[in-house]
């Protein structure tokens, strides 16, 4: 992606330099309780792994000059991608006579406090519907490259666009409706709805990539492959196999690798929001 020198979004809270040590001692237990309540209500969105880590368990250390430089470059990249999503979604909302409310992106290091409770770098990037913000620890970039085998700048762009997709589900009421249904459903059924939400966020990321290409023409050859590879690499089946050595379909919350690839591709190829009804097979 030819991102260098492009507009960086100003809707960014840079909390990378903040030590969370003080908050952790006072708010630890309450933080975890809030977090659990929020998770229970299904109001929490964490990608791609849902494993919480308790506050105060990570050691913060100073970055070296080289690490800091790399981190700052990633920060610039993330700000550019966020700005690109703003351009596309502002346009698409305006075409429907609506105004897009741009989300805020919080960059953090190691751990962060959100309206959805505490999160650590281990949770991966997530969207918190409670405060309408995206949260990202830039080390996830490295993790995608090293552990998930999903390298490339556009792999990261896809992840950000996916979280923005959850913001759109929040704005258009889909998230609220689905949460209501989930609360009246069995656990397996509720999980299926979560998967459909995730796949729709992938679809919306694909729609963004479609317009990004059409309006800006700044994608490099291989960018879409990077996104598809990332979608494939962070499907729940892959993640579960990696962590447990077996696949447990009922516990899926993001969709299989094939499903994620399918929906991102559909969004990218059609650019048609009306084709993103991932809930169809559930009879809704
Ligand atoms: Zn998601």
């Amino acid at each position: 992606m030819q991102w260098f020198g492009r507009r960086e979004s100003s809707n960014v809270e840079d909390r990378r330099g903040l030590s969370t040590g003080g908050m952790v001692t006072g708010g630890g237990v309450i933080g975890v309780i809030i977090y659990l309540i929020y998770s229970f209500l299904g109001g929490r969105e964490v990608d791609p792994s849902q494993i919480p880590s308790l506050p105060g368990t990570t050691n913060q250390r100073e970055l070296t000059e080289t690490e800091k430089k790399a981190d700052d470059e990633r920060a610039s990249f993330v700000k550019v991608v966020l700005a690109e999503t703003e351009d596309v979604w502002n346009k698409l909302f305006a075409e429907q006579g609506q105004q897009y409310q741009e989300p805020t992106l919080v960059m953090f290091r190691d751990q962060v406090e959100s309206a959805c409770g505490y999160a650590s770098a281990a949770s991966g990037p997530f969207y918190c519907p409670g405060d309408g913000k995206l949260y990202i620890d830039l080390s996830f970039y490295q993790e995608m490259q090293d552990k998930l085998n999903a390298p490339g700048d556009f792999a990261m762009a896809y992840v950000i666009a996916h979280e923005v997709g959850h913001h759109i589900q929040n704005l258009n009421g889909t998230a609220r409706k689905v949460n209501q249904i989930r609360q009246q459903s069995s656990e397996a059924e509720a999980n299926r709805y979560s998967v459909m939400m995730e796949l729709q966020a992938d679809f919306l990321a694909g729609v963004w990539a479609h317009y990004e290409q059409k309006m800006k023409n700044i994608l490099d050859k291989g960018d879409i492959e990077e996104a598809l590879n990332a979608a494939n690499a962070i499907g729940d089946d892959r993640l579960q196999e990696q962590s447990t050595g077996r696949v447990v379909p009922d516990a899926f919350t993001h969709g299989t690798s094939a499903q994620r690839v399918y929906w991102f591709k559909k969004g990218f190829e059609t650019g048609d929001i009306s084709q993103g009804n991932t809930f169809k097979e559930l009879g809704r």
Side-chain angles (χ1 to χ4, degrees):
M1 182 178 178
Q2 295 153 39
W3 64 275
F4 224 74
R6 298 186 69 84
R7 179 174 80 86
E8 295 185 3
S9 172
S10 54
N11 295 318
V12 173
E13 279 175 38
D14 193 345
R15 295 196 208 156
R16 286 177 298 159
L18 293 181
S19 166
T20 45
M23 279 191 285
V24 168
T25 35
V29 174
I30 292 168
V32 172
I33 291 169
I34 292 171
Y35 175 90
L36 289 176
I37 292 171
Y38 219 93
S39 310
F40 184 71
L41 294 176
R44 175 178 145 266
E45 155 60 27
V46 173
D47 277 335
S49 133
Q50 303 242 329
I51 305 156
S53 84
L54 296 178
T57 50
T58 38
N59 292 319
Q60 216 160 11
R61 64 166 180 90
E62 289 289 314
L63 297 184
T64 66
E65 272 310 304
T66 324
E67 283 172 333
K68 202 179 166 305
K69 210 168 153 252
D71 206 56
D72 284 342
E73 186 171 312
R74 278 175 201 155
S76 289
F77 175 73
V78 165
K79 287 180 195 172
V80 168
V81 172
L82 185 64
E84 296 294 331
T85 65
E86 289 164 358
D87 292 350
V88 167
W89 290 113
N90 272 315
K91 183 173 180 284
L92 295 182
F93 270 63
E95 280 173 5
Q96 309 210 346
Q98 288 168 328
Q99 205 187 342
Y100 178 56
Q101 288 167 262
E102 298 173 351
T104 297
L105 184 145
V106 179
M107 290 191 283
F108 69 98
R109 181 168 297 138
D110 298 332
Q111 54 190 18
V112 73
E113 193 184 14
S114 74
C116 301
Y118 280 100
S120 75
S123 318
F126 66 100
Y127 175 74
C128 173
D131 55 24
K133 293 178 183 178
L134 286 69
Y135 291 82
I136 190 161
D137 181 314
L138 297 177
S139 65
F140 188 68
Y141 203 124
Q142 202 65 36
E143 190 159 322
M144 284 182 71
Q145 194 170 315
D146 301 343
K147 292 189 194 152
L148 302 172
N149 201 18
D153 58 2
F154 211 73
M156 190 67 173
Y158 151 71
V159 168
I160 297 163
H162 170 99
E163 300 308 337
V164 170
H166 285 309
H167 177 63
I168 287 160
Q169 292 172 321
N170 203 22
L171 293 181
N172 68 17
T174 305
R176 192 174 37 84
K177 265 187 261 169
V178 169
N179 273 338
Q180 275 170 3
I181 297 170
R182 290 182 76 245
Q183 278 167 41
Q184 298 152 10
S185 310
S186 67
E187 202 184 330
E189 176 90 342
N191 272 337
R192 275 195 289 276
Y193 274 95
S194 297
V195 171
M196 299 308 152
M197 283 291 280
E198 292 308 323
L199 294 176
Q200 193 178 59
D202 285 335
F203 170 82
L204 293 169
V207 169
W208 166 73
H210 174 94
Y211 285 99
E212 186 64 14
Q213 177 73 316
K214 205 168 165 180
M215 289 161 56
K216 316 282 187 101
N217 198 20
I218 55 167
L219 299 198
D220 290 318
K221 203 169 171 294
D223 273 352
I224 294 305
E225 285 71 20
E226 281 173 10
L228 290 172
N229 178 51
N232 186 44
I234 60 184
D236 281 344
D237 48 349
R238 281 289 178 84
L239 292 177
Q240 285 196 7
E241 263 176 41
Q242 268 184 8
S243 58
T244 66
R246 65 198 173 91
V247 175
V248 192
D250 255 359
F252 280 21
T253 44
H254 284 72
T256 65
S257 294
Q259 284 176 313
R260 299 199 75 170
V261 166
Y262 173 83
W263 283 103
F264 176 84
K265 225 173 168 176
K266 190 168 185 185
F268 177 68
E269 281 166 5
T270 66
D272 179 2
I273 303 181
S274 70
Q275 296 202 32
N277 186 3
T278 53
F279 300 93
K280 237 183 206 159
E281 63 184 75
L282 298 176
R284 303 272 172 176

